[in-house]
Amino acid sequence: MDDDDRTRSVPDDGGDPACWMCRVCPACGGLADEDPPTGCPRCGEQLPAG
């Protein structure tokens, strides 16, 4: 391993959250665009907080 390999930084790419179950609509199975409380973009069902 040369000096360049040891000093190169690894980018923090982030990624998807581990679990989006709180965003899954119980009525139609659609995925909300934001964490509850919110409405399902597919059917309009309200997704409760918590």
Side-chain angles (χ1 to χ4, degrees), residues 16-31:
D16 292 336
C19 182
W20 281 355
M21 283 302 297
C22 67
R23 292 185 179 192
V24 176
C25 177
C28 73
L31 187 63

Side-chain angles (χ1 to χ4, degrees), residues 3-4 8-9 16 18 20 29-30 33 36 46 48 50:
D3 287 338
D4 289 336
R8 188 175 306 146
S9 64
D16 292 336
W20 281 355
D33 296 329
Q46 288 299 307

